[in-house]
Amino acid sequence: MSTVSWITARGLFGRRRFLLLLPLPVLLLVLAILSRSLGVDPGEWGPAVLVGLGLAVVLPVVALIVGTGVLGAEIDDGTVVHILTKPLPRWQIVLPKLAVGAGVTAVTVAVPLYVAGVLADSVRLGLALAAAASIGALAYCAFFVALSLLTRRPVLLGLVYVLIWEGLLGNFVSGTKVLSIQQYVIAIADRIAPTELLATDVSVPVASVMSALIAVGFTALAIDRLRSFSVAGETS
C-alpha cells in the first residue's frame, strides 16, 4: 500500500493540475487577512469568506481537482495499466489513493481555513473549521474518486454537483441540503465551535451519519468499479 501511496503522491505533485490547488486557498487567506487588517466587522465578512468562499468553493473545488486526479488522470493517460497488472486486491489500490487525495485536500484547505477562523473569531473556530474541512475532504474525495471511475467526464459532473446542487439548489430548496456535503461540514464545524458566522438546517447527527455513509459507500463503489477494469484500462 505504501508503494501505491508514493506513486500517487509523486504523480499528483508532478502534474500541472497541482498548481490549480494554490490560487483559491491563497485568495481565502488574502481576503481574511485584508478584512481583519482593515477592521471590518467579522459579522460582515466572516460568512462570505468562511462559508461562501472557504466551504462552498475552496474545499469542494480542491477536492474535485485532487479526487478526480488520483485515479482518473491515470486512466486517461493509460498509466493505470501498470497498477492493474500488479497482483494487488483492488482495495489496496483505491484506499491508498483515497488517503493521499483526502490528505492533500485536507492540508491544502484546513490550513487557510484555520487562519481565517482565528482572524474572524477564535482559535476554537479555526480548529473547528479545520477539523470539519478534513471530514469533508474525505467525503468529497471518496465521491470524486468513484465519479472518475464511473464516467469519462468526472470534472464536469463534479462541478454540476458543487455549483448546481450545493450552490444553487442548496440555497433555494431546503430538501437538497440533506444530500449536501457542504452542509455537513458547516453543521459539524458549528457543533464544535458554535457561532453566528455559521448556519445550516442540517443536524449534527444527520451530518455525521451522512458523511460516513458517503465516504464508505463511494469508496466501496470505487473498489467494485475498479474490479471491472481490464488490463487495457477499460471496463470489462
Side-chain angles (χ1 to χ4, degrees):
M1 291 178 67
S2 59
T3 302
V4 176
S5 299
W6 168 248
I7 293 174
T8 303
R10 185 178 61 183
L12 182 62
F13 285 98
R15 293 192 178 99
R16 291 181 179 178
R17 69 166 52 200
F18 180 73
L19 297 177
L20 299 175
L21 304 182
L22 302 179
L24 287 176
V26 170
L27 176 61
L28 174 62
L29 276 175
V30 170
L31 290 177
I33 294 172
L34 187 61
S35 298
R36 178 61 182 266
S37 63
L38 293 177
V40 181
D41 184 356
E44 296 180 5
W45 67 267
V49 174
L50 299 179
V51 179
L53 177 60
L55 300 182
V57 178
V58 179
L59 174 57
V61 170
V62 169
L64 177 62
I65 294 172
V66 175
T68 57
V70 293
L71 259 174
E74 294 178 353
I75 293 173
D76 291 339
D77 60 24
T79 56
V80 71
V81 172
H82 301 296
I83 297 178
L84 293 176
T85 54
K86 295 181 181 296
L88 291 174
R90 294 307 186 238
W91 67 268
Q92 289 189 11
I93 297 175
V94 173
L95 291 188
K97 288 183 171 294
L98 176 59
V100 171
V104 170
T105 300
V107 172
T108 304
V109 178
V111 172
L113 274 176
Y114 169 77
V115 175
V118 171
L119 294 176
D121 187 76
S122 63
V123 171
R124 183 179 179 182
L125 178 58
L127 291 173
L129 288 169
S134 298
I135 295 173
L138 178 58
Y140 272 122
C141 282
F143 175 50
F144 293 137
V145 167
L147 204 59
S148 70
L149 291 169
L150 293 169
T151 176
R152 293 183 179 276
R153 293 180 174 80
V155 174
L156 176 60
L157 294 180
L159 286 174
V160 169
Y161 172 76
V162 172
L163 299 178
I164 305 299
W165 184 268
E166 291 193 331
L168 183 60
L169 295 179
N171 290 325
F172 297 101
V173 184
S174 59
T176 61
K177 294 182 179 180
V178 181
L179 296 176
S180 170
I181 299 174
Q182 175 196 141
Q183 296 300 318
Y184 308 155
V185 174
I186 296 174
I188 293 171
D190 190 47
R191 176 64 179 83
I192 299 173
T195 172
E196 295 180 355
L197 300 178
L198 304 175
T200 180
D201 298 329
V202 178
S203 66
V204 175
V206 170
S208 302
V209 171
M210 290 300 295
S211 296
L213 287 176
I214 288 176
V216 173
F218 280 103
T219 299
L221 179 61
I223 294 172
D224 181 70
R225 182 63 174 173
L226 192 60
R227 289 195 184 104
S228 68
F229 274 65
S230 66
V231 175
E234 301 291 340
T235 54
S236 57

